[in-house]
Amino acid sequence: MNGAFRLLVFVFALFIWGTASGQRKFEQSKTLGLTLGTGYYLGELNPTGHFKGRLQPGIGGFLRFNLNRRFGVRAALNRTSLLYYDADSNDPWIVNRNLHFKNNVTEGSVVAEFNYTRYQIGNTKDRFAGYLFAGLSLYSHMPQAEINGVWYELQPLGTEGQGTTDGGERYATTGFAVPFGFGFKLNLGHFSALNLEWGMRRTWTDHLDDVAGQYASLAVLEEEAGPLSEMLSEAQIEREGGLDDPDGQMRGYNGLDDRFAVMSLSFTFRIDKSPTTCWNR
């Protein structure tokens, strides 16, 4: 958390410096963006595989304030869908665990952007630029799993004993994250551009996939949380040690927070100047 905080302080210090550097007013602009993309996550069902999973479509939009040709601030709202199955893994232990989930993550964010080179949307002399971004976001999520074609919300079921005598409190379904990444901007004309972007979200939850620690007692789940919780908690193909109840055995990697990434293509257009603006260097 301290490292992420220092990163944010550094980025916003650059932003403030850029704002106060006396840039001419004609370099400022406002743009709207419409975003299509997809996302993936890193966690118990996908420990190390970037760009893996059953990629699902995502959508979003943003408002960007370009303060000058180097710095901007963007406020965005995105919806990212995650869908993963243990069966898709190359790890035999993960395959045998035989869990799955989907999660539709809704995220609101504010980030600062820094362009590698001078860039101005609509200016044919500043046609292309790469950029970095970092900021803060608030997201909500609810992992689900399927039985016989019906998807059930997992957090209320306490599949690792949350809310029963075998576990602690149920995990939160909202949280803060630090989005960071890079992208490219390409002007299409005097008032529009395309943005291509990849960004990771550093979260402080281990429950995007509902898998975090150890198996709860199946008997306790059935009695206190119901048979649905028991069925969605454990689905091993072969139980380790031949035990009838895997209570206390490893289900996930406790203490390793989940992360998710968003890859997007955005169409952006100016909302504060006409396409006939006379551009100057």
Side-chain angles (χ1 to χ4, degrees):
M1 184 71 176
N2 289 336
F5 178 76
R6 287 194 293 268
L7 173 63
L8 287 176
V9 171
F10 174 73
V11 169
F12 282 104
L14 286 177
F15 156 67
I16 293 171
W17 173 82
T19 306
S21 62
Q23 296 293 331
R24 287 169 292 181
K25 186 175 181 180
F26 74 81
E27 293 190 356
Q28 299 178 1
S29 63
K30 301 181 184 69
T31 60
L32 281 178
L34 301 176
T35 298
L36 294 176
T38 189
Y40 66 91
Y41 106 116
L42 299 173
E44 275 77 5
L45 277 71
N46 182 38
T48 58
H50 285 274
F51 310 107
K52 290 185 178 180
R54 304 185 184 185
L55 301 181
Q56 305 296 299
I59 192 170
F62 61 83
L63 175 63
R64 178 188 284 129
F65 298 88
N66 300 294
L67 302 169
N68 53 54
R69 291 180 178 175
R70 291 281 191 175
F71 294 93
V73 177
R74 183 180 73 202
L77 181 65
N78 293 290
R79 187 171 179 85
T80 303
S81 297
L82 308 172
L83 178 63
Y84 280 81
Y85 285 79
D86 275 345
D88 296 336
S89 176
N90 296 322
D91 186 322
W93 185 86
I94 293 178
V95 172
N96 184 70
R97 183 177 55 191
N98 198 31
L99 296 175
H100 68 280
F101 81 97
K102 75 174 180 180
N103 200 337
N104 297 317
V105 184
T106 301
E107 177 192 27
S109 64
V110 176
V111 302
E113 294 181 352
F114 170 72
N115 298 325
Y116 289 124
T117 57
R118 289 159 60 91
Y119 174 81
Q120 192 171 30
I121 184 169
N123 189 341
T124 56
K125 296 179 180 180
D126 294 333
R127 189 170 181 82
F128 176 84
Y131 65 96
L132 298 173
F133 71 89
L136 187 67
S137 70
L138 176 67
Y139 68 92
S140 65
H141 74 106
M142 177 59 74
Q144 298 176 301
E146 178 264 341
I147 296 179
N148 298 325
V150 179
W151 290 87
Y152 298 94
E153 295 183 347
L154 294 172
Q155 188 262 10
L157 296 175
T159 56
E160 291 186 350
Q162 300 98 331
T164 73
T165 56
D166 206 30
E169 298 180 357
R170 290 183 173 85
Y171 54 83
T173 56
T174 60
F176 288 99
V178 173
F180 60 92
F182 63 91
F184 302 93
K185 302 173 181 177
L186 174 65
N187 280 341
L188 298 179
H190 287 295
F191 65 95
S192 61
L194 285 179
N195 292 176
L196 181 65
E197 183 175 289
W198 173 90
M200 180 63 70
R201 274 64 173 167
R202 166 66 166 94
T203 76
W204 282 269
T205 181
D206 193 16
H207 292 97
L208 291 179
D209 49 20
D210 190 61
V211 181
Q214 299 175 335
Y215 286 102
S217 167
L218 299 183
V220 171
L221 288 180
E222 183 177 20
E223 179 179 352
E224 299 184 22
L228 191 58
S229 176
E230 178 196 359
M231 287 188 288
L232 292 173
S233 171
E234 191 273 334
Q236 294 178 83
I237 299 172
E238 295 182 7
R239 287 181 178 169
E240 298 180 39
L243 300 175
D244 291 334
D245 193 329
D247 182 21
Q249 292 185 348
M250 187 174 75
R251 188 172 186 257
Y253 312 108
N254 194 19
L256 179 63
D257 291 331
D258 297 335
R259 293 160 287 163
F260 70 99
V262 178
M263 301 171 289
S264 63
L265 178 66
S266 303
F267 176 73
T268 68
F269 53 94
R270 298 180 66 98
I271 60 173
D272 62 339
K273 293 181 181 180
S274 70
T276 57
T277 298
C278 181
W279 302 106
N280 297 303
R281 299 301 291 184

